[in-house]
Amino acid sequence: MLSLPWRLAVMSCVAFAAHWYAFQYAGFTNDFRDAQFHQVYEHVAASSISKYGQLPLWDPYSCGGMYALGNPQIRFASPTLLLSVLFGGIRAQALTACLMTTIGMEGTYRWFRQCGCSASSSVLAALVPSLVGHYGVAYFFGWINFYGFHLVPWILWGAGCALRGKISGVMVAAIATAWMIGFGGTYAPLMTIVFAAPVMLGQLYFRPALRQELRETSKLLALLGVFALGLSAVRTLPVLDVMRASGRVMAGLPGSPLPILGGMLLMHAPPSGGAISSAGLFFVGPIAIVSLGALGIFSLKRNPRFAIATLVTILLMVWLAAGYNVRPSLFSWLRALPIYSTLRYPERYLFFATSALALLGAQGLTEVQSWRHSEKPLMRRAGWALSISLTVSLIAGVAHQVVSLQVTTRELARTVLPEFNRDSEFRQARGNRWMGAHYLPINRGSISCGEAYPVPMSTDLRGDLPNEEYLENPDLGTVRRSAWTPNRINLDVTVSDAASLKVNQNWHPGWRSNVGEVVNRNGLIGVRLPAGHHQVTLRFVPWSAIAGFAISLLTVLLMIGIGRGRVHRLFALVIPIAMALSAVRASAWMPKSEPVNPDGTPIVGEHHPKIALNATFELPVELVGADLPKSRDVDNVTTFDLYWKVTGQVARSTAIFVHVVPKRGNLVTLDREVIGGTFFLSDAPRGVVLRDVFGSGALEPGRYEVYAGLWDPSSGKRFAVTSKGASDNRVRIGEFELE
Amino acid sequence: MFARVPARFAGWIALGVPWVLAGAMSTKAEPPPRPTTPLAGAVEAFANTESQLRRASARNFPRDSWSADDDFHNAEQRWVRGMASHPAPTFVFEQLDRNLRAGYPNASRRVTASPCKPRPFYD
């Protein structure tokens, strides 16, 4: 059978073939908008190390400066950073994708072998989940961090070893989890837990030998969790630093009906016009699915209970993948758990369903292979015939997957970046987040920002300054930049009196100065300096990164000590204690942002609406007042402000409807699901007045009446208005006229 | 002895082949030349349309500063991509950057940031 190098060689060749066009275009920038910022993150991290000899903590090129290690989407906190350092962040993308795919194949092989599959069936079946079409889609969109899913089988294999009492399995699973998190997989580990739980329970339930040692194995699994937590602290603490200051807002009820999910798995539509249809999103292909399905039947004979458990896991994953489209929705229950509340894309559970199906297929192929050695001639012949035919069809299915991945990656929008200008000094530009990577060669940062979370940014950032570091009062002296690196800025400052220095980058409490005091100047980095001549050195040393590094290092030492039996396992409890203690220094963490409306005005505060309404509903929500437009603003926009107060429990599905009714013509709806783009009524602060601003750029001249109320968009039901004077369960706010 | 070495290492050599090829392919893209035609005129013409584009964006995303700013930048990047005679958008952005710096402090063109406030996710 294939030895490790030959097996890896075969897997590498398949991964290489699948990424053939990715390599053809290695060195090109992926011009899809998401890919642009991902490429900037990776390039800046790699050049922080290779050019400046610094750890990639701060990224001055993105959004006017951001805590790079705290960004949930970065993938550089993983071993693949080495490839980016060697080849450059953009050129290394194809190599990273190919390496992760090979790693995924080997991990899946080991997991399948652990589940009792033969070596040949494991090699073949392991290729199927490692070539799922979504990897091509991820490459197309520049979501290289999705390749972190290739570490899932390593976690399962490691956890499986731990279940068998092997401490080495604990190490492998913990390293794979930390790698996955460091690779930008903030969802992936959470999703893996959901998949691993039934798989592990299945193994425990159907294998009495494992069950007998439950006490010991549960200790090892707990150790695995602690090690994974500790190893990934270098990444999770900075991410917590960022996310507690400004989280994401999840809305909607994502989900797909079963036929659409089937289309995602079976059909393949090449990208068109820079977009990818849902068909083929998780392409496995009819050949591979039919082959695995047919083999799955034989797995029932090999180990019926294990096969049924795997089948149940597949069904659970498909149920989750359907999202809110099925009732009851397993995905909605999952989202109700606090750490799963920001989970997106339920269809990604198809990836796990495919892995489980491939496991069934490997089991089935192992069974028919065993028939070849039967004493019964008919059985022997059937064994040979089935082994050969189903192996050939599975190879054909894998080939189909390879071609599909090639087609998807071939179509990505791309350009080549020009030579990097090494003489140009770093400055912030107005930039363009849609093509941010194109600012790298001219050594410019982009203050135009598009991230999945509200990045703390200053409105004082400018993209045209002659000097990036300047005195607030220029009459007080001079500032000269003597050295610049992403994490450290050296300045030669002379001031005749106490002065405020400003740096055209976003503030974070991790910025320190050797002279004076670093302060937040309306979101910019500011330094209060005494009079005199100073060699100012500003350095970015965030507490969460220091604590994270220390805990991760401590975990490595504990893993070595416990692994060798030199340290008692109970010492691992130091890790969660250290994690908890690191949170105590609250002043060192990024302060929580005040919630603001999309126009920058505060949502919570002392509000004084011009129209008092005090309308109440059957729900504990009050419409306190409103401001109606008197005319259009300079941009021809008609503006509205509603003031709400929530005093009790409200269902997540509760939303606001706003009807703008012209004297003549059709009603205009300006419905609101999320107040100020920040809070659902269900999670809005209680007992305070919330200002919700919105507008319309489409209202014609004329006279209008405005009504508002509460409803449930999923059922269409309006909630009753309990205050007097309302009809049709809506509150009349007033009227206005547009010229 | 020497005859046995390749057999022992054949698997590792076979493993090395795709990776050597992959490494070589990763380094082959050549940077594009600087365009010979001046871009200043085209960028100036675009700059003159900025206020109009900003107003359209403000109407597309009323009272949503980040979305309106993002909409403007989308229009800007479409224009940059549309300049088919210039293969590298970087050169166009470089000229845009020069153009903005030349006008410092810009009163008529927006050069400040709209803090990132992504709209709620529906997927």
Side-chain angles (χ1 to χ4, degrees):
Chain A
M1 195 42 228
L2 289 175
S3 62
L4 176 70
W6 279 108
R7 191 170 70 237
L8 288 176
V10 168
M11 290 170 174
S12 299
C13 286
V14 174
F16 181 61
H19 292 90
W20 176 253
Y21 286 101
F23 281 111
Q24 289 282 324
Y25 305 130
F28 286 63
T29 57
N30 181 339
D31 279 343
F32 183 71
R33 58 182 182 272
D34 289 5
Q36 288 287 300
F37 64 73
H38 280 294
Q39 290 168 131
V40 172
Y41 297 159
E42 190 69 10
H43 171 86
V44 172
S47 63
S48 290
I49 294 172
S50 60
K51 192 174 170 186
Y52 301 108
Q54 296 179 338
L55 290 173
L57 299 177
W58 184 255
D59 178 355
Y61 292 84
S62 304
C63 304
M66 62 156 65
Y67 186 2
L69 198 57
N71 184 323
Q73 301 207 66
I74 60 100
R75 64 178 156 88
F76 61 72
S78 81
T80 51
L81 175 62
L82 186 63
L83 290 174
S84 298
V85 170
L86 291 174
F87 290 85
I90 293 168
R91 287 180 189 272
Q93 286 181 109
L95 275 171
T96 303
C98 191
L99 177 67
M100 293 300 287
T101 305
T102 309
I103 287 171
M105 288 170 177
E106 174 63 15
T108 312
Y109 165 83
R110 285 169 185 252
W111 174 40
F112 288 0
R113 289 286 284 148
Q114 189 181 61
C115 294
C117 305
S118 71
S120 58
S121 66
S122 297
V123 168
L124 194 52
L127 303 180
V128 176
S130 308
L131 297 169
V132 166
H134 201 62
Y135 289 114
V137 173
Y139 198 89
F140 181 87
F141 288 134
W143 305 335
I144 307 292
N145 49 354
F146 184 81
Y147 278 72
F149 274 89
H150 281 302
L151 296 161
V152 170
W154 286 94
I155 297 173
L156 294 169
W157 179 66
C161 290
L163 278 182
R164 288 158 178 81
K166 290 183 187 168
I167 188 88
S168 58
V170 172
M171 311 297 177
V172 169
I175 291 169
T177 308
W179 185 342
M180 189 189 261
I181 293 170
F183 200 72
T186 44
Y187 298 127
L190 297 177
M191 294 174 81
T192 305
I193 292 170
V194 174
F195 178 55
V199 170
M200 294 292 131
L201 283 174
Q203 288 199 21
L204 275 175
Y205 186 73
F206 294 116
R207 299 201 173 183
L210 296 180
R211 220 162 55 221
Q212 282 161 10
E213 294 167 10
L214 194 58
R215 204 184 158 93
E216 170 61 14
T217 53
S218 56
K219 279 184 197 165
L220 284 178
L221 287 179
L223 200 61
L224 191 166
V226 171
F227 282 164
L229 192 74
L231 269 188
S232 58
V234 64
R235 178 86 173 97
T236 47
L237 285 183
V239 169
L240 285 173
D241 188 350
V242 168
M243 296 315 288
R244 69 183 278 281
S246 41
R248 296 175 172 186
V249 179
M250 312 308 293
L253 306 169
S256 310
L258 288 178
I260 296 289
L261 292 180
M264 288 179 185
L265 290 165
L266 294 167
M267 293 158 71
H268 181 238
S272 168
I276 287 181
S277 74
S278 69
L281 211 55
F282 286 83
F283 182 78
V284 178
I287 310 171
I289 289 210
V290 169
S291 307
L292 291 171
L295 285 165
I297 295 166
F298 299 108
S299 74
L300 283 164
K301 184 166 185 316
R302 182 170 182 78
N303 188 343
R305 292 195 297 186
F306 185 83
I308 288 167
T310 311
L311 204 57
V312 169
T313 307
I314 293 172
L315 292 174
L316 281 174
M317 295 302 113
V318 173
W319 187 7
L320 279 167
Y324 288 87
N325 206 273
V326 289
R327 296 286 171 88
S329 163
L330 187 56
F331 186 73
S332 72
W333 296 341
L334 191 65
R335 248 189 171 184
L337 300 172
I339 53 166
Y340 286 91
S341 61
T342 57
L343 214 58
R344 296 166 71 190
Y345 301 115
E347 61 273 17
R348 284 184 181 167
Y349 280 98
L350 287 180
F351 165 75
F352 297 100
T354 306
S355 296
L357 181 65
L359 174 59
L360 268 190
Q363 288 268 351
L365 189 54
T366 306
E367 172 64 19
V368 293
Q369 282 172 346
S370 71
W371 295 356
R372 292 178 307 185
H373 310 293
S374 168
E375 289 176 0
K376 297 175 188 164
L378 190 65
M379 194 80 163
R380 235 177 12 244
R381 273 185 226 123
W384 277 108
L386 283 169
S387 297
I388 292 170
S389 58
L390 289 169
T391 299
V392 168
S393 73
L394 204 49
I395 290 172
V398 167
H400 195 188
Q401 285 185 284
V402 167
V403 172
S404 145
L405 282 170
Q406 286 182 344
V407 170
T408 306
T409 48
R410 187 184 62 198
E411 300 299 324
L412 60 87
R414 58 194 178 266
T415 46
V416 191
L417 288 183
E419 206 77 73
F420 279 49
N421 184 348
R422 303 205 182 269
D423 301 327
S424 170
E425 282 212 352
F426 171 81
R427 287 182 189 177
Q428 297 292 1
R430 185 171 73 180
N432 190 313
R433 71 103 174 176
W434 296 77
M435 297 186 84
H438 290 271
Y439 278 87
L440 290 174
I442 54 172
N443 206 15
R444 295 285 182 268
S446 172
I447 61 171
S448 156
C449 176
E451 248 298 350
Y453 68 97
V455 179
M457 286 174 68
S458 171
T459 49
D460 287 355
L461 286 166
R462 285 191 72 97
D464 63 346
L465 289 178
N467 295 300
E468 293 295 297
E469 299 85 23
Y470 55 94
L471 292 173
E472 207 164 57
N473 180 355
D475 298 334
L476 288 178
T478 57
V479 180
R480 193 181 63 82
R481 183 192 281 181
S482 50
W484 185 92
T485 63
N487 295 275
R488 193 176 62 235
I489 304 168
N490 292 346
L491 302 167
D492 194 1
V493 185
T494 307
V495 280
S496 57
D497 201 351
S500 261
L501 169 77
K502 275 185 174 177
V503 179
N504 192 30
Q505 289 191 47
N506 295 315
W507 173 83
H508 185 281
W511 279 100
R512 322 262 170 93
S513 172
N514 64 331
V515 185
E517 182 197 3
V518 175
V519 288
N520 177 351
R521 302 297 283 182
N522 193 31
L524 288 184
I525 303 168
V527 189
R528 283 201 197 108
L529 291 171
H533 179 79
H534 309 289
Q535 300 290 335
V536 178
T537 300
L538 281 164
R539 287 183 309 137
F540 183 64
V541 195
W543 164 251
S544 52
I546 296 170
F549 273 116
I551 293 169
S552 292
L553 188 63
L554 175 73
T555 308
V556 170
L557 296 174
L558 280 169
M559 282 171 77
I560 294 169
I562 292 172
R564 288 186 169 183
R566 301 254 174 94
V567 179
H568 194 277
R569 285 177 194 172
L570 272 178
F571 277 95
L573 286 174
V574 172
I575 297 165
I577 294 169
M579 292 282 276
L581 285 176
S582 68
V584 173
R585 267 193 72 184
S587 63
W589 295 72
M590 188 71 181
K592 203 166 167 51
S593 323
E594 287 300 318
V596 291
N597 276 294
D599 69 349
T601 55
I603 294 175
V604 181
E606 281 290 314
H607 300 306
H608 304 286
K610 294 188 180 83
I611 303 168
L613 295 165
N614 300 319
T616 53
F617 298 84
E618 63 176 297
L619 300 176
V621 179
E622 186 184 337
L623 177 53
V624 177
D627 297 338
L628 290 184
K630 289 200 165 60
S631 61
R632 294 188 184 91
D633 69 10
V634 286
D635 294 318
N636 227 8
V637 169
T638 317
T639 64
F640 304 85
D641 298 44
L642 294 186
Y643 299 85
W644 297 91
K645 191 192 278 186
V646 184
T647 51
Q649 194 93 14
V650 184
R652 166 78 179 253
S653 56
T654 310
I656 297 161
F657 66 83
V658 179
H659 294 165
V660 182
V661 187
K663 286 285 177 203
R664 259 175 267 131
N666 295 328
L667 166 150
V668 177
T669 56
L670 297 171
D671 295 350
R672 327 276 307 140
E673 195 181 6
V674 184
I675 290 183
T678 306
F679 299 119
F680 286 88
L681 285 166
S682 58
D683 54 27
R686 300 289 189 258
V688 292
V689 179
L690 308 160
R691 181 184 182 196
D692 181 31
V693 310
F694 53 100
S696 170
L699 294 181
E700 299 292 329
R703 194 157 189 82
Y704 294 88
E705 280 186 294
V706 184
Y707 296 87
L710 300 175
W711 71 312
D712 182 342
S714 58
S715 65
K717 181 200 162 208
R718 283 186 193 173
F719 294 103
V721 181
T722 50
S723 50
K724 286 180 185 170
S727 64
D728 208 13
N729 283 328
R730 58 183 192 173
V731 179
R732 186 181 182 278
I733 294 173
E735 56 183 45
F736 66 94
E737 186 154 10
L738 289 181
E739 304 258 314
Chain B
M1 183 193 163
F2 287 108
R4 292 175 67 87
V5 171
R8 255 177 76 197
F9 291 106
W12 294 109
I13 292 165
L15 172 60
V17 169
W19 292 105
V20 169
L21 196 55
M25 287 175 82
S26 299
T27 56
K28 71 172 190 184
E30 286 294 319
R34 187 165 276 280
T36 47
T37 49
L39 294 164
V43 165
E44 189 62 45
F46 175 78
N48 292 334
T49 65
E50 269 192 30
S51 59
Q52 207 179 328
L53 288 171
R54 290 274 186 195
R55 289 192 73 188
S57 296
R59 277 197 299 278
N60 291 341
F61 293 94
R63 298 189 86 176
D64 187 341
S65 316
W66 177 77
S67 296
D69 199 37
D70 200 47
D71 191 54
F72 165 77
H73 283 295
N74 188 11
E76 184 186 56
Q77 66 94 16
R78 280 201 303 265
W79 172 76
V80 171
R81 283 180 205 258
M83 292 187 70
S85 57
H86 303 292
T90 304
F91 295 121
V92 187
F93 284 123
E94 185 182 35
Q95 187 56 45
L96 269 166
D97 184 52
R98 275 197 202 128
N99 184 278
L100 279 167
R101 284 181 202 286
Y104 175 79
N106 284 280
S108 58
R109 293 166 74 190
R110 196 150 170 238
V111 287
T112 51
S114 293
C116 178
K117 184 172 172 63
R119 294 184 290 278
F121 293 98
Y122 283 85
D123 47 11

